[in-house]
Amino acid sequence: MLDAIEAIDWRSVPGPADYYRPEAAREGLHDLARARGHTEAASAASRLAGGGVIHDHSGTVFPAAVPAAPLLLQIAQERTGATQVAALELVENALNFRPWPGFVRTRRGVRLCCAIAHHLHARAPALDQLRAGGRSLLTTARNHWRMDIEETCAEGTDTLVFGTVTGSLAEFPQAAELHTDRGTTHVSTMLEYPVTDEHGQICVRLVGSELARLHTGATVYSASCGEYHTQ
């Protein structure tokens, strides 16, 4: 765990000057991973919430929350009591807080909330075992769905895309973002056939989008992440 924390260059992660504190991110994670009891867990969490990964006072989240999320989730899985609660609360706040203006997305163009939710989707079975805290996070993460495209088929002025979805596509039509190695495109989606579970195969129609070919690794993300997650 400590090696994984040190492997990240927290100073290279962007964030608002005078608010984002790279050393608070690194040291806070170190302290939380080693915390014993309520006092140490609260002290470490306070450092992380005071400019390490979020700014609790203003209710904002920083890009550092994205690489920190899997570390916090690992701490939650390995620890119990106050340390586990603190780690889960930090991830929950990072997922729900609005991003600081100008720092809404990762370097790859994914909104912070969706990037954090991706880590939650990847650890769904383990989080489900954490009962209330983990299940609450999974419930919130479902709205930040992601579809990994495996195949496409042109149909008139639309494109059918086939792939695997994580999260829940509960409503259609739905605004979405198509991410390829050529950039991000805003699209409207219609469901062609549904999935049988939250990690299943799906077919979605991209309405009015003629895409003869998508490069490997193309993804579709929800574009409905709330008032603060739309830029």
Side-chain angles (χ1 to χ4, degrees):
M1 167 60 73
L2 300 183
D3 288 342
I5 296 170
E6 288 299 325
I8 298 171
D9 182 2
W10 298 99
R11 291 187 177 277
S12 72
V13 179
D18 301 325
Y19 288 92
Y20 170 51
R21 299 165 54 213
E23 288 306 308
R26 184 182 68 82
E27 294 171 7
L29 287 166
H30 267 287
D31 291 346
L32 189 61
R34 296 177 296 194
R36 296 292 185 272
H38 289 271
T39 300
E40 291 184 5
S43 177
S46 178
R47 181 171 294 187
L48 289 164
V53 297
I54 61 176
H55 189 247
D56 194 45
H57 182 69
S58 62
T60 52
V61 57
F62 301 147
V66 176
L71 300 172
L72 288 167
L73 293 173
Q74 184 176 341
I75 291 171
Q77 289 175 232
E78 295 176 353
R79 303 296 302 280
T80 59
T83 299
Q84 182 184 90
V85 170
L88 291 175
E89 286 183 350
L90 283 162
V91 177
E92 182 174 18
N93 287 337
L95 184 61
N96 291 320
F97 282 3
R98 68 185 188 277
W100 193 278
F103 299 93
V104 175
R105 298 175 182 267
T106 68
R107 289 191 176 105
R108 299 184 66 179
V110 179
R111 285 185 304 277
L112 301 186
C113 55
C114 290
I116 294 168
H118 177 62
H119 291 302
L120 292 166
H121 293 313
R123 291 162 177 77
L127 285 169
D128 190 58
Q129 296 298 314
L130 298 182
R131 299 185 181 276
R135 292 171 185 172
S136 174
L137 276 173
L138 289 175
T139 298
T140 303
R142 289 188 183 108
N143 295 322
H144 303 270
W145 57 265
R146 162 180 169 155
M147 177 183 179
D148 294 294
I149 297 175
E150 299 167 359
E151 186 178 342
T152 66
C153 176
E155 189 173 274
T157 59
D158 301 341
T159 300
L160 299 180
V161 293
F162 304 83
T164 304
V165 67
T166 52
S168 176
L169 285 76
E171 299 179 0
F172 282 91
Q174 188 169 148
E177 291 183 353
L178 172 67
H179 290 241
T180 72
D181 57 5
R182 292 167 290 183
T184 301
T185 304
H186 291 273
V187 295
S188 178
T189 61
M190 292 290 293
L191 185 65
E192 286 296 304
Y193 64 78
V195 293
T196 56
D197 56 49
E198 291 187 0
H199 297 273
Q201 295 294 309
I202 192 172
C203 176
V204 170
R205 178 182 296 270
L206 304 185
V207 181
S209 298
E210 297 183 64
L211 303 170
R213 181 174 65 90
L214 292 179
H215 293 199
T216 300
T219 52
V220 181
Y221 290 91
S222 168
S224 305
C225 291
E227 177 182 0
Y228 299 109
H229 300 151
T230 57
Q231 298 180 8

